[in-house]
């Protein structure tokens, strides 16, 4: 079944995703009386040990890849799914693995004026198909808004924020691509679907 979204529907999906991400970020900042460390066994240098991944996360225990950024920031890629609509959605978590709060670097938005004017995002991310010699940029809606998590500011120590990025799909035979995000290391991920 193929679903096509209008620009207005995509903006609504982005807004809903950002709102859900912000709600999860606020919920993870305190209160609730529970253990806020939802890091799985793959997290590095965690203060707490022995915590189990939450069943509600619904994501694989082992990330497809980890891109390391500055000041303890880590982008854990949990899925890269090709859709029949002709795009790839890369999902994961942006985590602060450091001991202090960290501002998300402005460079993650990229350097395109049209993307930057819509606020801080992961709009600078690209997928690189080295065999096909092509680079794929984050998709934009008709108003120039990147189809990725937006409204990024800071992450508290140990905080994890769900994120996503949508790209045009590479040709059918391409499954391994390199994910690149400014100020982070790059990593090869496998596209499924």
């Amino acid at each position: 079944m193929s679903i096509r979204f209008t620009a207005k529907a995509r903006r609504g999906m982005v807004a809903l995703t950002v709102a859900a991400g912000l709600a999860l970020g606020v919920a993870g900042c305190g209160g609730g009386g529970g253990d806020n460390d939802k890091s799985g066994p793959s997290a590095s240098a965690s203060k707490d040990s022995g915590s189990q991944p939450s069943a509600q996360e619904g994501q694989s225990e082992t990330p497809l890849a980890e891109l390391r950024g500055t000041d303890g920031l880590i982008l854990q890629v949990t899925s890269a799914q090709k859709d029949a609509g002709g795009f790839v959605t890369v999902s994961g978590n942006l985590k602060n693995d450091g001991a202090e709060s960290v501002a998300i670097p402005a460079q993650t938005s990229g350097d395109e004026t049209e993307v930057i004017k819509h606020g801080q995002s992961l709009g600078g991310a690209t997928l690189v198909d080295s065999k096909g010699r092509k680079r794929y940029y984050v998709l934009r809606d008709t108003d120039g808004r990147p189809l990725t998590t937006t409204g990024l500011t800071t992450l508290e120590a140990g905080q994890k924020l769900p994120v996503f990025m949508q790209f045009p799909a590479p040709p059918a035979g391409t499954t391994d691509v390199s994910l690149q995000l400014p100020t982070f290391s790059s990593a090869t991920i496998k596209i499924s679907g």
Side-chain angles (χ1 to χ4, degrees), residues 12-96:
M13 287 175 35
V14 170
L16 181 61
T17 302
V18 170
L22 290 173
L24 288 173
V26 170
C29 287
D35 183 5
N36 286 337
D37 181 15
K38 294 182 183 173
S39 60
S42 63
S44 62
S46 178
K47 285 189 273 182
D48 297 331
S49 62
S51 68
Q52 298 296 318
S54 171
Q56 72 185 20
E57 286 176 303
Q59 297 172 347
S60 63
E61 307 85 40
T62 306
L64 294 176
E66 284 191 349
L67 286 71
R68 297 205 171 260
T70 57
D71 300 321
L73 288 175
I74 300 173
L75 175 59
Q76 297 173 322
V77 178
T78 56
S79 71
Q81 187 73 36
K82 186 182 285 189
D83 186 279
F87 58 88
V88 171
T89 301
V90 176
S91 302
N93 296 296
L94 188 57
K95 182 181 178 190
N96 178 358

Side-chain angles (χ1 to χ4, degrees), residues 94-177:
L94 188 57
K95 182 181 178 190
N96 178 358
D97 206 29
E100 297 179 11
S101 70
V102 176
I104 309 298
Q107 295 93 326
T108 60
S109 297
D111 56 8
E112 293 182 36
T113 306
E114 189 67 26
V115 172
I116 293 171
K117 77 177 187 180
H118 294 290
Q120 195 161 345
S121 68
L122 300 178
T126 58
L127 289 181
V128 178
D129 171 9
S130 57
K131 286 185 181 177
R133 304 178 105 185
K134 295 205 178 215
R135 179 179 300 268
Y136 299 91
Y137 294 88
V138 169
L139 291 167
R140 282 96 172 141
D141 67 15
T142 55
D143 293 327
R145 289 182 186 90
L147 298 183
T148 181
T149 306
T150 59
L152 302 173
T153 55
T154 60
L155 286 177
E156 299 301 321
Q159 185 181 2
K160 196 187 306 187
L161 177 69
V163 295
F164 80 98
M165 297 156 271
Q166 288 186 328
F167 302 91
T174 303
T175 56
D176 293 339
V177 293

